[in-house]
Amino acid sequence: MVSLDKILKKALYEEPLFRDEVLHLLRVEGEGDQARLFEAARTLRDRHFGNKIYLYGFIYFSTWCRNNCSFCYYRTSNTLCDRYRKTDAQIIEAAARLAESDIHLLDLTMGEDPFYFDQRNGFEPLLRLVREIKTRTNLPLMISWGVVPDEVVKSLPEAGADWLACYQETHNRALFRRLRLHQNYEDRLEVKEKAKLAGLLIEEGILSGSGETLEDVADSIEMMKQMKAHQARVMNFVPQKGTPLGALPPPPPTRENIVLSVLRLVLPHRLIPASLDIYGIEGLREKLQAGANVVTSLIPPSSALRGVAQSFLGIDEGHRTSQAVIPILEELGLRKGTHEEYTAWVKKEKKNLPTKTLRNDEPRRMKVAAG
Ligand code: SF4
């Protein structure tokens, strides 16, 4: 019989946890035991990162997408959502505003916008935009554009990108087929491997409460460890109007915090974000108390930009800004890390990336999925 105390002790010694131990942690119930789990997660975060928290600005610059994920408000067949594709000038303006607000990284996100995935247009305009934003802000940049072609992955570091995010959402292939309809599981995994070979750090993510079992979550956490994801995120599922999963009840907020804590226990030295996209500023304290060390999804007010899962939550009220986040950090004895501390971490991790380089004659295995 495994006991919570023994598992937490083992985690605090940073010994690898067995699958049944991870499962035991994921099943933790009751406020007392959950508080012990969160406390252990904070101890490990503080050991590896001190009291430093990093802030990521989020620019969702195109909500057009050729894909039809069953959980997503912006799936191609949803006629209920307002879509936009921001101009370069609008994106640059949002980037400048976020940079002024002193964030550590800019996350440039879009759906798999058919405009750019159409070879007649291509990604060159976006790569030019990345170069421009890098020159103007000199901030680390994260790219989240879906399964982009190999040549784009290879061009991203030169353009100034530092990260590639591409979320599997689940590592149960049957569930993946139900969530990411008509998409290829391997292609999505491979783009992250190719990104590492090209010199980019990677973020992997899972969706909690969209039909997975706790065994699936344990498997996902193991996959994130094996793929050496530099940043590992969990976000609770939010039912969206006009989607096949729109009637699925949402999971309790605690579920996201428990998974976040277990991620910290298994991956103590990795970045683990608290997203403002699901529960807004109200949910931030709990996520920081559960072991997060990054706050993501900061969006400038009045920018007419949207979140991914909660399109409007707290944006125009200014609740998704560094000014709103910093007092909460201070209240919890945390502080915003410096830019030097963040870039030093990124630099150190880049040095540990695999050294094999992608050759131009390597087979192009990227498949252009139908939307
Ligand atoms: S989750 Fe991403 S890939 Fe899927 S439909 Fe939404 S925007 Fe497109």
Side-chain angles (χ1 to χ4, degrees):
M1 177 72 181
V2 274
S3 84
L4 179 62
D5 273 342
K6 263 190 168 168
I7 301 169
L8 294 180
K9 204 169 162 189
K10 195 173 163 186
L12 288 169
Y13 277 117
E14 300 192 35
E15 289 175 25
L17 300 181
F18 295 121
R19 188 169 183 272
D20 64 335
E21 294 170 328
V22 171
L23 269 171
H24 190 101
L25 296 176
L26 290 170
R27 288 191 185 116
V28 155
E29 282 181 353
E31 278 185 22
D33 281 355
Q34 287 173 1
R36 283 157 69 212
L37 170 69
F38 298 153
E39 188 184 357
R42 288 197 300 277
T43 302
L44 283 172
R45 174 195 62 200
D46 296 352
R47 185 186 297 165
H48 285 270
F49 295 94
N51 61 353
K52 302 184 284 288
I53 302 291
Y54 301 118
L55 311 184
Y56 288 8
F58 182 64
I59 302 180
Y60 195 12
F61 63 85
S62 173
T63 58
W64 289 95
C65 186
R66 63 184 182 173
N67 289 330
N68 214 17
C69 299
S70 55
F71 57 89
C72 178
Y73 186 54
Y74 297 107
R75 68 198 306 259
T76 190
S77 62
N78 193 358
T79 52
L80 300 182
C81 59
D82 278 341
R83 296 186 193 270
Y84 61 76
R85 182 182 299 120
K86 297 294 178 190
T87 64
D88 284 8
Q90 289 168 322
I91 300 168
I92 289 168
E93 199 228 325
R97 285 180 66 191
L98 281 164
E100 273 167 28
S101 76
D102 214 19
I103 43 101
H104 296 91
L105 172 143
L106 278 169
D107 176 354
L108 304 173
T109 290
M110 66 168 186
E112 290 193 4
D113 185 338
F115 177 82
Y116 297 106
F117 278 80
D118 182 333
Q119 286 183 350
R120 285 168 295 182
N121 303 314
F123 284 84
E124 196 44 48
L126 282 186
L127 291 168
R128 273 200 304 275
L129 182 67
V130 172
R131 280 184 209 107
E132 177 76 20
I133 291 174
K134 187 70 170 194
T135 307
R136 287 186 185 224
T137 66
N138 197 29
L139 282 172
L141 302 178
M142 177 181 275
I143 300 301
S144 181
W145 301 344
V147 181
V148 291
D150 290 12
E151 55 272 22
V152 176
V153 174
K154 283 185 272 185
S155 301
L156 283 170
E158 171 275 318
D162 301 274
W163 287 82
L164 182 134
C166 188
Y167 311 128
Q168 216 72 14
E169 306 298 8
T170 177
H171 299 82
N172 172 329
R173 285 160 196 263
L175 180 58
F176 180 95
R177 284 194 292 275
R178 295 200 297 277
L179 294 179
R180 292 199 171 275
L181 308 179
H182 313 300
Q183 292 172 62
N184 185 296
Y185 180 90
E186 267 74 28
D187 286 353
R188 225 172 159 81
L189 269 189
E190 279 178 17
V191 76
K192 291 177 279 257
E193 288 308 310
K194 289 172 179 174
K196 282 193 286 182
L197 292 172
L200 297 163
L201 304 186
I202 59 160
E203 182 182 22
E204 174 64 303
I206 53 173
L207 192 60
S208 176
S210 60
E212 79 287 353
T213 63
L214 291 183
E215 284 78 4
D216 294 334
V217 180
D219 292 341
S220 281
I221 293 174
E222 177 58 26
M223 276 295 287
M224 288 162 146
K225 183 178 174 184
Q226 279 178 25
M227 73 169 67
K228 298 187 166 61
H230 302 91
Q231 182 160 301
R233 79 98 167 102
V234 55
M235 271 170 55
N236 263 2
F237 162 74
V238 177
Q240 305 289 349
K241 276 189 203 146
T243 66
L245 299 191
L248 192 71
T254 334
R255 174 92 328 252
E256 190 179 273
N257 300 336
I258 290 173
V259 178
L260 194 158
S261 273
V262 180
L263 279 168
R264 173 61 67 201
L265 296 191
V266 175
L267 305 167
H269 57 306
R270 292 315 204 188
L271 298 176
I272 299 186
S275 173
L276 297 176
D277 206 41
I278 307 297
Y279 303 109
I281 200 81
E282 298 305 321
L284 181 60
R285 278 179 194 79
E286 287 72 22
K287 272 163 238 323
L288 292 167
Q289 293 294 71
N293 67 330
V294 172
V295 180
T296 61
S297 218
L298 276 79
I299 300 177
S302 338
S303 57
L305 288 162
R306 301 281 172 259
V308 172
Q310 299 269 24
S311 295
F312 297 94
L313 184 68
I315 298 175
D316 284 341
E317 297 84 347
H319 293 166
R320 287 166 76 159
T321 59
S322 46
Q323 292 86 337
V325 168
I326 288 169
I328 295 175
L329 303 186
E330 288 169 355
E331 184 191 307
L332 299 175
L334 300 165
R335 70 169 170 93
K336 186 163 84 69
T338 65
H339 288 271
E340 292 72 25
E341 285 162 342
Y342 183 74
T343 47
W345 191 90
V346 168
K347 207 169 159 188
K348 169 175 72 73
E349 293 300 324
K350 280 189 179 175
K351 277 195 185 147
N352 296 330
L353 284 169
T355 49
K356 178 181 171 286
T357 48
L358 275 177
R359 297 191 321 263
N360 282 331
D361 59 349
E362 270 183 308
R364 296 278 154 80
R365 297 201 53 210
M366 290 297 158
K367 207 170 120 187
V368 179

